[in-house]
Amino acid sequence: MPVPRSILGTQGATDMDLEVVAGAWPDDVRGHYVVSASDQRTRPRHAFFGDGIIARMPLRPDPGGRFPWRARVIDTPSVRLRGKRPDLFTAGPVGTDSPWGFVNAANTAPLPWGDRLFATWDAGRPVEVDPVTLEFVAEVGHRDDWRPAMDHAVLPLVSTTAHPVVDPERGCLWSVSRDVLTGAVSVIRYDGTGTRVHRWEVEDAALPQATHTITQTRDWLVLADTAYRIEVEEIFGGDRTAPNNPDGPVLLIRKDDLLPGRSTVACTVFRLAPEVNHFYARYDDSDGVEVVMEHGEGVDIGMYLREDDVDVYGRPIDPALRGMYCHGMAPALTTVLRFDPETGRITERARARDPERWWQAELSAIDWSIEGQTAPTRHHLVYLGFHPEAVNWRAMRNYAGRVDPALFPPEETPAVLVSHDREDLKALS
Ligand SMILES: [Fe+2]
């Protein structure tokens, strides 16, 4: 199946009343489905950088048998300012700039916390929305507490994670703030009320590229450098010429060391290859700190497709794919790793690599209940398949020697959803 062109369409946030047209809706499913998306109507250069849409659908039908899908562009200060003066906002290769600062797109992942709901972004504070009306409530925490990576009066650029975690026992949200020039990183704690967040600078460590994900156990926070390189030349109009780093540091920080009266915290540093994107720790750490690592080898989602690009086979890229991220150039690799903070050593517990399963970059699914996090049994992954029409030659050039075109399937392959055993990563279905 080709990359669906509709996901790059400009229909925006559309309400729909959906109905089951085939099969049967399960009786025992309840709650709501909530998803974030990127509004393409502002024509971002990279499809990732459109304004945040949040959509919600109940998992029980209404009395008429319909499922009301409701979607809103989140009415953040960034969106309101752009609404007033669209002419002063400029789409660039790493986001949208303006005289007021940098747009907080809040379009990456919904984060529920009890009966509250947040939308996240890697280059802005989490945004709280009303879970019923989907209206904007607030950006989390005073900007000064976060220490913006680029300080603008109204729209500061806060370099952070799109996947902060809610601590089920300490009743707080853990996030990070990163200096984009030095890679120095701080831990952020938000207690859920008030306008302030706490920040601790992590001593003697740096995450050079990005911090897309963080994860936690009962006693530890796990931070890692994630594979998303910002190239200064590209920001100033040049081409993207370098691949992501092939490895990077992983930092373990003991939660008990994050003391209220202090402004710094120590960490244990590990070195990990290949590079990673999403990762998930088992909350129970009585046997050690164990993390499912979804590696991002042969994947450069910072690379976006241009109208003048050619694909793997030298064919012009379909203009309808303009702005889509470059798709994966390697089979997916997933591992279960155990980190020992005493020795600084990493032990591999399990590994999944099947050439039939081509790359994963989208968010996987885990059971986020306290029981599910403490003793996880399944890890669900979407493998997107091989899509040569969405792999550009510029990426192939940058990854020469790092990806093996001999592994490329003879033609496009479909996406596959796999439920893995969480212990040994065997495919269960
Ligand atoms: Fe993500």
Side-chain angles (χ1 to χ4, degrees), residues 330-414:
L333 172 67
T334 311
T335 57
V336 177
L337 303 179
R338 186 169 288 184
F339 295 83
D340 183 344
E342 301 298 322
T343 63
R345 215 175 285 150
I346 305 176
T347 312
E348 184 175 301
R349 310 279 297 172
R351 164 177 290 241
R353 175 160 222 159
D354 179 342
E356 300 282 300
R357 299 193 194 113
W358 205 258
W359 87 296
Q360 84 278 354
E362 307 299 329
L363 201 52
S364 45
I366 67 167
D367 178 352
W368 286 98
S369 69
I370 180 70
E371 298 83 1
Q373 288 190 64
T374 303
T377 57
R378 298 282 184 275
H379 192 75
H380 311 280
L381 277 172
V382 172
Y383 296 90
L384 287 187
F386 175 58
H387 295 282
E389 65 169 353
V391 175
N392 58 359
W393 179 85
R394 291 185 295 126
M396 295 286 292
R397 175 199 64 199
N398 292 354
Y399 282 77
R402 293 254 309 258
V403 300
D404 182 3
L407 293 176
F408 287 6
E411 56 187 16
E412 183 177 73
T413 61

Side-chain angles (χ1 to χ4, degrees), residues 108 162-163 212-213 277-278 361 363:
T108 305
H163 302 297
H212 180 64
T213 311
N277 185 19
H278 294 120
L363 201 52

